[in-house]
Amino acid sequence: MHIQLLYLLLLCAASVTTHASPTPVVLDDGHDLNQVPAFNVTNFEASAMVLSNRNFYKFDVTFYHDATPVHCEALGTTINHQLTSIPQTFCPTGPSSGGSGSGYGNSTNNQSNRNSNSNQNNNNNNTTGRGVSFKWTEQPDGSGALLIVRRINDKVTDTAVYKVTPDCIPMMGDDIFRHQVYEGPENFSVPAYRSSESG
């Protein structure tokens, strides 16, 4: 799948601290990648939970100036109180829920939002709905990578990768309270690229 190739390509291009450098790239299968406005991530948190076999990832992402942030979050499972890879996870429909809790909407609200969104034209400013997803991948060297994907339509996808160095995800606490926590910046911008399939 070309999303996986794009992810690997962007991961290789990502700098070791904050974000990928803005260089044009082309996938091996001929898909052109054009740079689009950076994805702005705010309130990023990731941590293994103390005395638990769970870990969590949550953040808000904004795709252009003055857009409503999309809230993304996921729970993972860990056996060693560390952050673990999670699969591609869709972000809930609608704006960030602020301090209201999990941020997961119910099916009635999601259907209502989808109906509302269907009345809007599907252009580059589409920031809600099932088109936004993310994935966290633990790397063999102890680093992590956050992949954020915004699907514009069936043939157009915007993708950004934020690489996190091992020193930004240290183990904290002692004995039974020892657990891994993201200690990097909470707010950051990640260069994003658009992939367009032909045909």
Side-chain angles (χ1 to χ4, degrees):
M1 183 176 204
H2 94 277
I3 288 291
Q4 292 172 332
L5 292 173
L6 176 60
Y7 169 64
L8 291 173
L9 185 62
L10 290 177
L11 181 59
C12 291
S15 82
V16 292
T17 52
T18 54
H19 51 73
S21 58
T23 55
V25 289
V26 178
L27 289 177
D28 290 339
D29 61 2
H31 291 90
D32 291 328
L33 296 180
N34 298 308
Q35 193 161 11
V36 295
F39 292 0
N40 292 312
V41 175
T42 55
N43 306 312
F44 184 84
E45 293 182 63
S47 177
M49 299 179 192
V50 176
L51 302 177
S52 173
N53 63 350
R54 306 293 282 177
N55 49 35
F56 71 88
Y57 310 81
K58 64 180 178 178
F59 60 93
D60 298 319
V61 57
T62 306
F63 297 105
Y64 61 96
H65 184 67
D66 289 338
T68 300
V70 174
H71 183 73
C72 300
E73 66 179 79
L75 286 173
T77 301
T78 178
I79 59 172
N80 55 7
H81 302 102
Q82 294 182 342
L83 297 174
T84 56
S85 296
I86 59 165
Q88 199 77 15
T89 302
F90 284 104
C91 301
T93 302
S96 171
S97 59
S100 65
S102 70
Y104 289 100
N106 62 43
S107 58
T108 302
N109 289 340
N110 286 342
Q111 184 61 45
S112 173
N113 286 333
R114 280 195 298 273
N115 291 341
S116 174
N117 288 340
S118 67
N119 294 329
Q120 301 171 1
N121 59 357
N122 187 17
N123 59 24
N124 295 349
N125 295 339
N126 181 18
T127 60
T128 60
R130 297 289 180 192
V132 180
S133 60
F134 77 101
K135 174 181 180 180
W136 176 272
T137 305
E138 285 292 309
Q139 306 295 322
D141 65 358
S143 64
L146 174 68
L147 167 73
I148 304 173
V149 176
R150 177 175 66 152
R151 182 166 289 281
I152 304 299
N153 57 43
D154 289 343
K155 296 186 178 187
V156 179
T157 303
D158 294 346
T159 307
V161 177
Y162 175 73
K163 188 170 181 184
V164 179
T165 54
D167 60 307
C168 288
I169 42 178
M171 296 297 290
M172 308 285 282
D174 297 315
D175 300 322
I176 62 172
F177 300 106
R178 190 166 173 78
H179 64 291
Q180 192 172 26
V181 178
Y182 172 79
E183 288 285 296
E186 293 181 10
N187 305 322
F188 48 86
S189 293
V190 192
Y193 297 88
R194 175 160 296 176
S195 172
S196 301
E197 297 180 36
S198 59

